[in-house]
Amino acid sequence: MYAIVEIAGQQFKVSKDLKVYVNRLTNEEGSKVSFDKVLLLDDNGTITLGAPAIEGASVEAKVLQHLKGDKVIVFKKKRRKGYKKRNGHRQYLTQIVIEGITGVGAKKAAPKKAAVEATTEEVEAPKKKVAKAKKEDTKE
């Protein structure tokens, strides 16, 4: 099982127990992080494609360490002008390990019943008021 997921603005093909270097995340070392922007999911030959992301799918990961990447030398030159600039750069990275991929059919934590009932009552109440107002307008 593998997935293509967007992490910190870049797309990665990930599978369980894979270590990945991504752009620096704000999470602390040892903490768990979840990525909900899953673009493609392959479950033993069954491919699910998102438009643009698959709803309900997520990738769970653990932050291993924060580090800096290899140095990259940036050298600029204009010939015959005596212009030379040398600059270096090291990218800030985070190493994560993928702990699991949750597909579409998997159940997430269900919302509490009290919260669901309250939202349905709030939605239905304005409809009743509108219906009463329409009946009064037709009587006149």
Side-chain angles (χ1 to χ4, degrees), residues 47-133:
I47 295 176
T48 307
L49 200 65
I54 301 171
E55 291 185 27
S58 67
V59 174
E60 308 296 324
K62 181 180 178 182
V63 176
L64 294 180
Q65 64 177 339
H66 297 294
L67 54 123
K68 290 170 83 173
D70 295 335
K71 182 173 264 194
V72 178
I73 303 298
V74 180
F75 185 74
K76 299 178 183 179
K77 178 184 176 182
K78 294 187 180 178
R79 65 182 196 163
R80 295 188 304 268
K81 305 296 182 201
Y83 174 78
K84 292 181 186 179
K85 288 285 181 187
R86 183 175 179 268
N87 197 0
H89 175 74
R90 291 185 72 184
Q91 187 69 34
Y92 291 103
L93 301 174
T94 299
Q95 184 181 19
I96 60 173
V97 62
I98 306 300
E99 293 187 334
I101 299 171
T102 307
V104 181
K107 294 182 179 179
K108 287 189 173 181
K112 295 181 182 177
K113 291 182 180 179
V116 173
E117 291 174 5
T119 57
T120 55
E121 291 174 4
E122 292 171 2
V123 171
E124 292 175 4
K127 291 179 183 177
K128 291 178 183 177
K129 290 179 183 177
V130 170
K132 287 181 183 179

Side-chain angles (χ1 to χ4, degrees), residues 11-23:
Q11 296 176 7
F12 295 93
K13 180 181 176 183
V14 297
S15 58
K16 190 171 179 359
D17 298 328
L18 182 71
K19 291 182 181 177
V20 182
Y21 291 99
V22 298
N23 286 336

